[in-house]
C-alpha cells in the first residue's frame, strides 16, 4: 500500500508541477544576447507583446547553431522592426514587405524576421493561406510541428518566459516530430509540411509520431500542388544530413517517393530467376549515400552516390550463364541525369555535369584492379576525371557495401593499389589537367589550313598518342608526331 500511495503522490506532484514547468524561464547564455534584450525594450516602448519563436527556440534547446531569428509581435511586426533598425543605426538594413505584413532587419551575419501574430485559413488548391491578425496562441497553432511552435517572451517583465502550448519541449526530449493540430488538416492545408516533417526527422535524427506518419501516407497525393523548387530545397537538406538514408526511407514508407522521384523508387525490389536474385539496388544505393556522407560534405558528390546506379533498371537483363546483368548501367544512368535534374529543378550547370561524369565513370576504377591493366587505361581515366579523380575514388570506396568483411577489405585494398598506380603515372606524365601541348591554331598555322575536320583529327591523334604512352606529354615530341602524321597523310 505504502508503495502505491507514494507513487500516486509522486504523479500528483508532477500534475501540479507541469503548468509551473510550462511557464518556466529559459536559462541559456544565448537568450541573454543583447540584441534580444534590445528587441524586447523597443516592444515595451511601443506597448506590444513580443516573442522569439520557431526554429531559433527549437535549436536553442537542442544546442544547434542557428543564424536567423524569427520574432512574432502581437500587433504590428513592422513597427517593432522599424524601431529596432533605428536603434541599431547605420550598420542595420531594414526591408519591409507590406503585403505580407513582415519586415527583415539585417546586420552583418545577423538576420531578424519580424511578423505580426496571425491566423490562417486555406483553400484547397493552394498552400498560400488567407491571413489575418491573431493572438499568440493562434499564431503558434498554425505552425507545422510542436517542436517549431515554441516561443520565448522578450518583454522585460516576462523576459525568457517560454510558451509551450503543445508540449514541444516534451517532443524534443522524446525526439518526436508531431503536428500541433489534426495532422490531416495540417498536411492537406500545406502539403510542403510533409516534406518538412521528413526533413526535420532526418536532420535532427527524430522519429515521426505515428499519427503524423499515417496522415502523410493518407495525404501524399496533395504533394502535387507543391512546386518542384520547394521539394528540391527539402531534398537537398535531407541530402546534407548526417544519415540521408533515413529521409529516403521515410519518403518510401509514406508513399511519397514514387510521386516525387519515380526513377529512385524503380530501384526497389529483387527479381529471382532459377533461384538467383540480385541485390536490392535501392537499399544498396542508400548505404552508398550514407557511406559517402561519412567521408564528404559535398552535396553533389552525395547526389552522385544517390544516382550512381539509377540506370540499372533500364539495363537489367537475364543471362543463363552470368545470371542478372546490368551492362552499361553507368552509361545509361549518366544519360538520365539531365532529364532528372531538369524535372526536379536541380541546377543544370557544372554541378549537373559533375554528377553526370561521376555516374558515367563510377565503374572504371573497378576495371583497373586487374593485374593486366595497362598504363594507358589509367591515363585515360585520369584524363577524363581530371580534378574530380579523388571524388570518384571516394565514390568507389563508398560503393563497397558487401557484408562479407574479407571481401570488403580486399576491394578497399585493390582501390588503394589503383590510387598508387594513379599517383605514379600522374607524377610521371602530369595527365590530370592535361591539355594537348599543340593546339588547333598552331596546327592550322603549321600546315596553312582553314578550320576543318582534319585539324580536330590531328589534335585527337596527339591526345591518344600521349594517353597511350606512344609519345611523352611534351611540346616538341607532340609537334614532331603531328608533322610525321601530316607527311604520312600527304603520301
Ligand atoms: P530551418 O531554418 O532550419 O529550415 P526553421 O524551423 O527555422 O528551420 P523556417 O522555414 O525558417 O524553418 O521557418 C521558421 C518557422 O516558421 C518554423 O520553425 C515554423 O514555426 C514556421 N513555419 C515555416 N514553414 C512553415 C509551414 N510550411 N507551415 C507551418 N509553419 C511553418
Ligand atoms: Mg529558420
Amino acid at each position: 500500500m505504502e508503495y502505491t500511495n507514494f507513487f500516486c503522490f509522486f504523479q500528483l506532484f508532477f500534475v501540479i508541477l507541469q503548468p509551473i514547468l510550462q511557464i518556466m524561464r529559459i536559462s541559456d547564455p544565448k537568450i541573454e544576447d543583447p540584441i534580444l534584450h534590445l528587441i524586447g525594450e523597443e516592444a515595451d516602448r511601443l506597448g506590444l507583446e513580443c516573442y522569439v519563436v520557431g526554429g531559433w527556440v527549437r535549436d536553442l534547446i537542442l544546442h544547434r547553431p542557428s543564424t536567423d531569428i524569427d520574432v512574432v509581435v502581437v500587433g504590428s511586426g513592422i513597427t517593432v522592426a522599424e524601431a529596432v533598425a533605428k536603434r541599431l543605426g547605420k550598420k542595420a538594413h531594414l526591408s519591409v514587405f507590406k503585403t505580407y505584413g513582415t519586415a527583415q532587419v539585417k546586420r552583418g551575419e545577423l538576420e531578424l524576421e519580424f511578423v505580426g501574430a496571425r491566423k490562417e485559413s486555406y483553400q484547397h488548391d493552394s498552400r498560400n493561406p488567407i491571413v489575418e491578425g491573431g493572438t499568440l496562441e493562434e499564431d503558434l497553432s498554425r505552425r507545422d510541428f510542436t517542436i517549431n511552435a515554441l516561443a520565448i517572451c522578450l518583454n522585460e517583465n516576462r523576459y525568457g518566459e517560454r510558451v509551450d502550448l503543445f508540449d514541444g519541449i516534451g517532443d524534443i526530449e522524446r525526439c518526436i516530430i508531431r503536428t500541433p493540430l489534426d495532422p490531416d488538416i495540417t498536411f492537406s492545408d500545406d502539403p510542403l509540411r510533409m516534406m518538412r516533417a521528413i526533413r526535420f526527422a532526418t536532420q535532427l535524427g527524430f522519429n515521426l509520431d505515428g499519427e503524423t506518419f499515417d496522415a502523410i501516407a493518407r495525404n501524399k497525393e496533395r504533394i502535387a500542388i507543391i512546386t518542384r523548387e520547394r521539394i528540391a530545397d527539402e531534398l537537398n537538406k535531407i541530402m546534407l544530413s548526417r544519415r540521408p538514408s533515413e529521409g529516403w526511407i521515410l519518403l518510401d514508407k509514406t508513399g511519397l517517393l514514387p510521386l516525387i522521384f519515380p526513377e529512385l523508387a524503380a530501384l526497389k525490389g529483387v527479381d529471382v530467376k532459377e533461384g538467383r536474385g540480385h541485390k536490392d539496388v535501392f537499399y544498396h544505393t542508400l548505404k552508398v549515400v550514407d557511406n559517402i556522407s561519412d567521408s564528404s560534405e559535398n552535396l553533389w558528390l552525395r547526389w552522385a552516390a544517390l544516382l550512381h546506379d539509377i540506370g540499372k533498371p533500364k539495363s537489367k537483363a537475364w543471362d543463363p550463364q552470368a545470371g542478372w546483368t546490368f551492362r552499361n548501367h553507368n552509361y545509361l544512368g549518366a544519360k538520365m541525369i539531365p532529364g532528372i535534374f531538369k524535372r526536379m529543378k536541380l541546377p543544370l550547370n557544372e554541378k549537373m555535369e559533375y554528377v553526370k561524369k561521376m555516374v558515367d565513370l563510377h565503374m572504371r576504377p573497378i576495371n583497373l584492379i586487374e593485374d593486366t591493366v595497362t598504363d594507358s587505361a589509367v591515363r585515360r581515366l585520369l584524363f577524363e576525371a581530371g580534378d574530380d579523380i579523388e571524388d570518384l575514388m571516394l565514390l568507389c570506396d563508398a560503393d563497397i557495401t558487401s557484408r562479407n568483411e574479407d571481401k570488403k577489405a580486399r576491394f578497399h585494398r585493390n582501390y588503394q593499389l589503383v590510387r598508387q598506380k594513379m599517383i605514379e603515372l600522374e607524377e610521371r606524365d602530369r595527365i590530370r589537367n592535361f591539355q594537348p601541348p599543340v593546339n588547333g591554331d598552331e596546327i592550322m598555322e603549321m600546315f596553312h589550313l582553314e578550320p576543318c575536320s582534319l585539324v580536330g583529327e590531328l589534335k585527337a591523334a596527339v591526345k591518344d598518342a600521349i594517353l597511350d604512352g606512344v609519345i611523352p606529354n611534351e611540346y616538341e615530341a607532340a609537334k614532331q608526331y603531328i608533322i610525321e602524321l601530316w607527311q604520312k597523310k600527304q603520301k
Side-chain angles (χ1 to χ4, degrees):
M1 163 263 128
E2 278 5 67
Y3 180 78
T4 337
N5 266 358
F6 176 72
F7 190 68
C8 288
F9 173 75
F10 208 66
Q11 271 190 330
L12 196 69
F13 179 72
F14 269 99
V15 170
I16 296 164
L17 199 66
Q18 191 68 12
I20 302 167
L21 285 173
Q22 299 286 323
I23 54 156
M24 248 176 55
R25 287 177 194 225
I26 296 273
S27 66
D28 186 293
K30 260 173 89 181
I31 196 73
E32 293 309 331
D33 189 329
I35 191 77
L36 295 177
H37 277 287
L38 185 149
I39 297 169
E41 280 160 29
E42 290 309 306
D44 279 341
R45 238 175 20 84
L46 292 159
L48 294 168
E49 242 180 81
C50 172
Y51 300 84
V52 56
V53 288
W56 191 88
V57 181
R58 177 200 67 221
D59 290 340
L60 173 85
I61 295 164
L62 282 167
H63 304 291
R64 291 175 87 230
S66 53
T67 46
D68 48 335
I69 302 180
D70 291 310
V71 177
V72 162
V73 176
V74 184
S76 164
I78 295 176
T79 316
V80 177
E82 284 167 346
V84 168
K86 207 164 161 196
R87 270 280 293 278
L88 290 175
K90 278 208 185 90
K91 275 182 256 156
H93 182 261
L94 170 76
S95 323
V96 175
F97 309 96
K98 273 228 165 74
T99 14
Y100 299 104
T102 64
Q104 186 187 57
V105 178
K106 269 189 167 186
R107 193 190 61 181
E109 292 282 282
L110 180 74
E111 256 187 62
L112 306 167
E113 301 280 345
F114 292 83
V115 63
R118 53 169 68 179
K119 65 174 174 216
E120 294 177 343
S121 46
Y122 287 82
Q123 291 151 312
H124 189 73
D125 57 348
S126 162
R127 65 172 289 261
N128 301 320
I130 299 164
V131 175
E132 3 168 17
T135 61
L136 177 72
E137 288 69 25
E138 280 165 336
D139 189 281
L140 294 179
S141 315
R142 72 170 176 91
R143 289 174 185 269
D144 48 4
F145 307 111
T146 59
I147 62 167
N148 289 344
L150 295 160
I152 298 177
C153 188
L154 297 180
N155 296 100
E156 207 49 46
N157 59 343
R158 289 172 56 209
Y159 194 85
E161 187 182 304
R162 75 186 189 202
V163 182
D164 179 9
L165 304 178
F166 306 101
D167 196 19
I169 296 196
D171 283 344
I172 290 180
E173 280 160 5
R174 290 183 289 270
C175 302
I176 292 281
I177 306 290
R178 185 169 60 91
T179 58
L181 305 179
D182 179 343
D184 279 304
I185 296 172
T186 304
F187 293 132
S188 176
D189 277 351
D190 176 2
L192 180 67
R193 293 167 181 162
M194 301 192 283
M195 294 299 301
R196 283 173 60 90
I198 292 174
R199 183 259 288 193
F200 282 120
T202 314
Q203 268 184 334
L204 305 176
F206 279 25
N207 292 311
L208 294 183
D209 162 70
E211 286 289 308
T212 300
F213 178 96
D214 292 345
I216 296 179
R218 278 194 296 272
N219 289 279
K220 60 177 192 273
E221 305 286 347
R222 294 279 295 149
I223 199 70
I225 69 163
I226 301 300
T227 64
R228 299 207 183 262
E229 284 85 350
R230 294 235 174 228
I231 295 175
D233 274 353
E234 298 301 327
L235 292 179
N236 282 337
K237 287 180 182 170
I238 289 173
M239 287 301 268
L240 284 171
S241 303
R242 209 170 62 82
R243 288 261 157 276
S245 64
E246 290 171 6
W248 293 106
I249 287 172
L250 284 174
L251 287 167
D252 174 42
K253 293 211 162 125
T254 50
L256 281 166
L257 189 65
L259 303 175
I260 60 170
F261 200 167
E263 297 87 345
L264 194 66
L267 302 185
K268 278 192 70 185
V270 176
D271 275 339
V272 179
K273 201 162 170 173
E274 294 171 17
R276 292 163 85 175
H278 55 78
K279 60 183 163 195
D280 184 306
V281 186
F282 180 66
Y283 289 102
H284 160 71
T285 293
L286 295 188
K287 184 84 191 73
V288 178
V289 175
D290 282 354
N291 284 348
I292 203 82
S293 304
D294 283 338
S295 52
S296 171
E297 298 282 327
N298 178 345
L299 175 64
W300 303 106
L301 184 53
R302 293 179 177 201
W303 271 103
L306 188 77
L307 295 166
H308 79 286
D309 277 347
I310 205 74
K312 274 198 168 172
K314 276 193 182 165
S315 69
K316 183 156 126 184
W318 171 257
D319 178 307
Q321 257 87 53
W324 292 107
T325 66
F326 301 93
R327 294 208 176 91
N328 285 331
H329 73 270
N330 52 321
Y331 170 71
L332 288 172
K335 267 194 12 188
M336 290 164 72
I337 305 298
I340 291 174
F341 268 52
K342 191 156 184 243
R343 192 196 66 234
M344 294 179 75
K345 304 285 182 203
L346 292 164
L348 301 177
N349 54 15
E350 72 285 350
K351 309 276 191 324
M352 181 193 81
E353 291 303 331
Y354 165 90
V355 172
K356 198 171 149 196
K357 179 159 103 177
M358 289 288 135
V359 175
D360 187 15
L361 296 180
H362 84 270
M363 295 298 287
R364 292 276 286 277
I366 206 158
N367 297 327
L368 296 182
I369 60 182
E370 321 254 312
D371 286 344
T372 52
V373 68
T374 60
D375 286 357
S376 160
V378 179
R379 276 197 210 94
R380 279 181 185 278
L381 180 59
L382 276 170
F383 171 66
E384 281 171 56
D387 274 341
D388 300 322
I389 190 72
E390 300 300 338
D391 289 356
L392 181 67
M393 294 311 291
L394 282 181
L395 176 59
C396 290
D397 268 329
D399 199 6
I400 301 170
T401 61
S402 168
R403 258 179 261 166
N404 177 333
E405 289 301 323
D406 287 345
K407 219 166 152 184
K408 237 160 105 169
R410 197 172 68 242
F411 284 154
H412 283 299
R413 260 197 321 274
N414 284 339
Y415 280 142
Q416 247 348 86
L417 293 177
V418 172
R419 279 190 163 99
Q420 195 50 42
K421 215 170 205 171
M422 284 176 172
I423 291 169
E424 284 162 18
L425 274 177
E426 179 60 23
E427 271 174 11
R428 216 177 67 205
D429 300 342
R430 304 172 321 279
I431 295 298
R432 206 157 139 159
N433 284 315
F434 167 76
Q435 290 292 334
V438 179
N439 66 27
D441 288 343
E442 243 179 309
I443 294 174
M444 288 193 283
E445 208 173 288
M446 275 161 74
F447 308 117
H448 309 291
L449 292 172
E450 291 297 310
C452 64
S453 62
L454 184 57
V455 179
E457 239 175 74
L458 289 169
K459 248 174 74 177
V462 177
K463 184 192 90 184
D464 285 340
I466 293 171
L467 292 177
D468 290 340
V470 177
I471 56 167
N473 181 12
E474 287 161 10
Y475 179 76
E476 279 309 325
K479 200 166 166 185
Q480 196 51 40
Y481 185 77
I482 290 186
I483 292 170
E484 280 167 24
L485 213 62
W486 170 260
Q487 284 166 349
K488 259 191 231 158
K489 279 194 185 289
Q490 299 309 302
K491 280 183 193 155

